[in-house]
């Protein structure tokens, strides 16, 4: 299916010096990776991460961005600013942004637009809450989040969109979706993409699983036909664990 991408989501962890040190640890461990490797750092660490990854096979992601290019938006960072500093990826619509910081499908759509216009590659997060899974509406929720976020995105631009399926109940909880559950929803997202853009774009799009993926369970999850990688939180802060997950993505 899509190209394998293993991306670390460091969340609100690491100072610039700590970020550089962690990347120095990760670098030799992933240098022969057969997948794309990305580290998603806090904004203040991005320059240190860009410096530490220069000339390596590791890409750098921000964890959010604002859609306007510049202006009176105190505290915000634009997609344009990220692109101009050399950042290649941005994680958008993460459930923590949606739950704690008021992000919603329409603001995620605007962020995706801004990021693509700036030339970034988007890692778009979608996923259901536990109550929604129990109600049997996981498919509808993930399809809707995907469709709204991609409103106005062209088939051509989809080469710069990665989707991360992250069931909210599995994030940071140690409760991983089973490989079958992960594959089922990743498959459904691919069908949603096929409906929007056709089978070729759907097949070429990287669809990751995220939510308590770790060194122990990564191989089984990544072996699923519709799982093309992982968005890794906790385990991405440990160089050896992260490298084990990268090695499992073949
Ligand atoms: P986790 O986080 O691996 O710690 O569950 C994943 C994520 O939030 O992207």
């Amino acid at each position: 299916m899509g190209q394998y991408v293993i991306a670390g989501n460091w969340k609100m962890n690491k100072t610039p010096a700590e970020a550089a040190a962690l990347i120095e640890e990760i670098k030799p461990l992933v240098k022969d990776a057969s997948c794309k490797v990305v580290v998603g750092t806090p904004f203040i660490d991005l320059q240190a991460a860009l410096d530490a990854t220069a000339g390596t096979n590791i890409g750098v992601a921000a964890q959010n961005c604002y859609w306007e290019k510049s202006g009176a938006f105190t505290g915000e960072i634009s997609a344009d600013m990220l692109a101009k500093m050399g950042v290649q990826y941005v994680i958008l619509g993460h459930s923590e942004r949606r739950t704690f910081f008021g992000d919603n499908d329409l603001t995620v759509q605007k962020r995706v637009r801004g990021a693509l216009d700036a030339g970034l590659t988007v890692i778009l997060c979608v996923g259901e809450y536990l109550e929604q899974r129990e109600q049997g509406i996981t498919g509808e929720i993930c399809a809707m989040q995907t469709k709204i976020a991609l409103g106005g995105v062209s088939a051509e631009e989809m080469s710069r969109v990665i989707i991360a399926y992250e069931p909210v109940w599995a994030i940071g909880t140690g409760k991983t979706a089973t490989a079958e559950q992960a594959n089922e929803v990743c498959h459904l997202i691919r069908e949603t993409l096929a409906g929007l853009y056709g089978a070729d774009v759907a097949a070429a799009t990287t669809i990751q699983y995220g939510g308590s993926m770790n060194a122990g369970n990564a191989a089984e999850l990544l072996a699923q036909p519709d799982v093309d990688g992982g968005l890794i939180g906790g385990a991405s802060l440990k160089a050896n664990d992260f490298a084990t997950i990268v090695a499992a993505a073949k």
Side-chain angles (χ1 to χ4, degrees):
M1 288 292 178
Q3 184 186 15
Y4 274 94
V5 180
I6 299 294
N9 174 12
W10 292 7
K11 310 195 180 189
M12 196 175 71
N13 293 291
K14 303 293 176 189
T15 63
E18 289 167 350
L22 178 54
I23 290 168
E24 289 308 326
E25 262 190 273
I26 292 171
K27 265 188 332 201
L29 303 176
V30 304
K31 69 176 186 346
D32 299 319
S34 51
C35 62
K36 269 199 191 163
V37 182
V38 176
V39 290
T41 79
F43 287 127
I44 59 155
D45 297 343
L46 289 170
Q47 191 59 57
L50 288 168
D51 292 344
T53 56
T56 73
N57 60 339
I58 304 175
V60 174
Q63 298 172 11
N64 190 26
C65 69
Y66 195 57
W67 53 85
E68 296 287 350
K69 277 191 165 64
S70 61
F73 303 102
T74 302
E76 287 302 288
I77 303 285
S78 75
D80 223 49
M81 294 160 106
L82 296 172
K84 287 197 170 119
M85 79 181 287
V87 170
Q88 308 102 331
Y89 298 85
V90 62
I91 299 168
L92 292 176
H94 191 279
S95 67
E96 286 150 18
R97 299 299 318 171
R98 296 178 193 251
T99 304
F100 304 132
F101 303 104
D103 223 357
N104 60 54
D105 290 327
L106 290 174
T107 58
V108 173
Q109 181 192 76
K110 289 184 181 183
R111 291 182 213 284
V112 169
R113 184 71 264 150
L116 291 174
D117 285 346
L120 297 171
T121 293
V122 169
I123 301 177
L124 167 66
C125 304
V126 301
E128 81 286 2
Y129 288 101
L130 184 58
E131 299 74 32
Q132 295 169 329
R133 173 161 286 269
E134 286 169 347
Q135 248 190 298
I137 57 172
T138 297
E140 285 97 326
I141 292 291
C142 293
M144 183 187 72
Q145 289 180 351
T146 302
K147 283 187 186 172
I148 297 176
L150 297 179
V153 173
S154 70
E156 215 170 48
E157 288 172 322
M158 284 303 292
S159 63
R160 287 189 288 120
V161 174
I162 294 167
I163 314 247
Y165 165 54
E166 298 208 309
V168 182
W169 48 271
I171 295 176
T173 57
K175 275 193 218 158
T176 321
T178 65
E180 291 71 29
Q181 286 171 327
N183 190 65
E184 186 185 12
V185 183
C186 288
H187 181 73
L188 182 141
I189 291 168
R190 205 178 298 283
E191 285 184 332
T192 303
L193 297 179
L196 294 171
Y197 299 107
D200 290 352
V201 169
T205 302
T206 297
I207 303 179
Q208 301 172 316
Y209 168 79
S212 298
M213 193 188 276
N214 59 42
N217 61 25
E220 194 192 354
L221 287 159
L222 293 168
Q224 298 300 310
D226 278 294
V227 178
D228 309 319
L231 184 57
I232 325 296
S236 72
L237 295 167
K238 296 176 207 138
N240 281 314
D241 289 10
F242 187 60
T244 300
I245 297 169
V246 167
K250 298 195 187 108

